[in-house]
Amino acid sequence: MTRAKSKASQIKAWKKDISGLTFEEASQALDLILAELQSDSVPIADLQDRVLHGEVVLDTCEALLKSVEQAVLQLDPETLIENNSLFAAD
């Protein structure tokens, strides 16, 4: 297996592992990765993988936030009930 295919399969595995996490859980996972990177305990040989793993988790956090943002934008500001039509007539 080539190095690129190995990285791709690792990224796929990370995405699968975090796919069911809540935002809070994903954020905590990201905090753990960041703390590990900041502690200087990561061997240089593993540094790139840890950073890449952090990027995958960060992408998940951003996607979860975007999903919530879209749901909030769908709420009627007066009733806080989902408004399915953004262009409803007044």
Side-chain angles (χ1 to χ4, degrees):
M1 182 180 283
T2 67
R3 190 169 180 89
K5 285 185 182 179
S6 177
K7 292 281 186 208
S9 65
Q10 184 62 59
I11 290 170
K12 188 175 181 177
W14 288 328
K15 286 181 179 183
K16 182 180 178 187
D17 289 345
I18 62 175
S19 66
L21 298 182
T22 65
F23 173 78
E24 290 79 9
E25 293 166 335
S27 180
Q28 184 178 19
L30 187 58
D31 286 342
L32 291 172
I33 293 168
L34 182 59
E36 186 179 21
L37 290 170
Q38 290 175 333
S39 73
D40 295 329
S41 66
V42 178
I44 290 181
D46 298 336
L47 194 57
Q48 183 181 13
D49 283 345
R50 296 296 201 293
V51 170
L52 190 56
H53 189 189
E55 289 177 0
V56 170
V57 176
L58 179 61
D59 288 346
T60 298
C61 288
E62 289 174 343
L64 289 167
L65 283 175
K66 188 160 186 78
S67 174
V68 170
E69 178 184 26
Q70 291 303 312
V72 168
L73 290 174
Q74 296 295 318
L75 295 177
D76 181 297
E78 292 179 19
T79 64
L80 297 180
I81 296 173
E82 185 176 352
N83 182 3
N84 291 328
S85 173
L86 293 175
F87 304 104
D90 289 331

